[in-house]
Amino acid sequence: MKFQPIVPMIWTKELHKTVDFYCDILGFACGKYSEDWGWAAVHKDDCEIMIAKPNEHTTFERPYFSGTFYIKTDDVDALWNQIKDKVKIAYEIEDFDWDMREFAIYDNNSYMIQFGQDLVKK
């Protein structure tokens, strides 16, 4: 049995604005979008995120998640320079003891997204 990459589904009351954030700010492409379903899927390279309006069976007051979404990249500095002035920053780019260079932002729903790159020891 082989597991496939995890694909988070984030809930929002602002489907269109959330798709725009991921596509316009972070460079994702919208693969599927259905206003009728209240659902969309965005992707960039091997990373995919589903976005949905909560259905009538779900109690939903505001977006929440008890962790962060961590996306690895091969050029975290370029990404940082590209988006740092367009987003709300959780923490600025820095090198960490666990051999990662990373930063974190908040999306338009206040979900935290961390971006990291493995540091190569010389």
Side-chain angles (χ1 to χ4, degrees):
M1 172 186 354
K2 180 181 176 185
F3 281 23
Q4 300 296 315
I6 192 167
V7 179
M9 171 141 6
I10 59 173
W11 291 345
T12 183
K13 292 181 180 178
E14 300 178 327
L15 183 65
H16 187 66
K17 285 175 101 174
T18 301
V19 170
D20 285 350
F21 178 89
Y22 282 85
C23 293
D24 296 345
I25 304 295
L26 299 181
F28 281 72
C30 185
K32 296 180 183 175
Y33 184 97
S34 174
E35 226 13 93
D36 291 338
W37 294 351
W39 177 87
V42 297
H43 61 89
K44 181 175 173 78
D45 304 315
D46 292 333
C47 183
E48 182 179 3
I49 299 171
M50 292 189 285
I51 303 163
K53 291 182 177 179
N55 64 36
E56 65 275 4
H57 306 292
T58 306
T59 303
F60 182 79
E61 295 176 23
R62 61 176 179 76
Y64 64 92
F65 182 70
S66 63
T68 67
F69 299 104
Y70 197 97
I71 300 173
K72 288 187 173 183
T73 180
D74 63 354
D75 196 343
V76 73
D77 288 290
L79 181 60
W80 168 253
N81 289 321
Q82 178 184 334
I83 69 171
K84 67 180 178 180
D85 297 325
K86 301 175 186 175
V87 296
K88 182 179 176 186
I89 297 169
Y91 62 86
E92 295 187 2
I93 195 163
E94 65 180 285
D95 294 345
F96 289 93
D97 292 339
W98 48 87
D99 294 331
M100 293 297 290
R101 181 162 177 78
E102 62 187 49
F103 68 92
I105 65 166
Y106 295 101
D107 78 357
N108 64 302
N109 298 286
S110 296
Y111 292 113
M112 185 187 287
I113 309 166
Q114 293 172 270
F115 297 93
Q117 179 177 4
D118 291 314
L119 289 171
V120 178
K121 294 274 186 177
K122 293 183 178 182

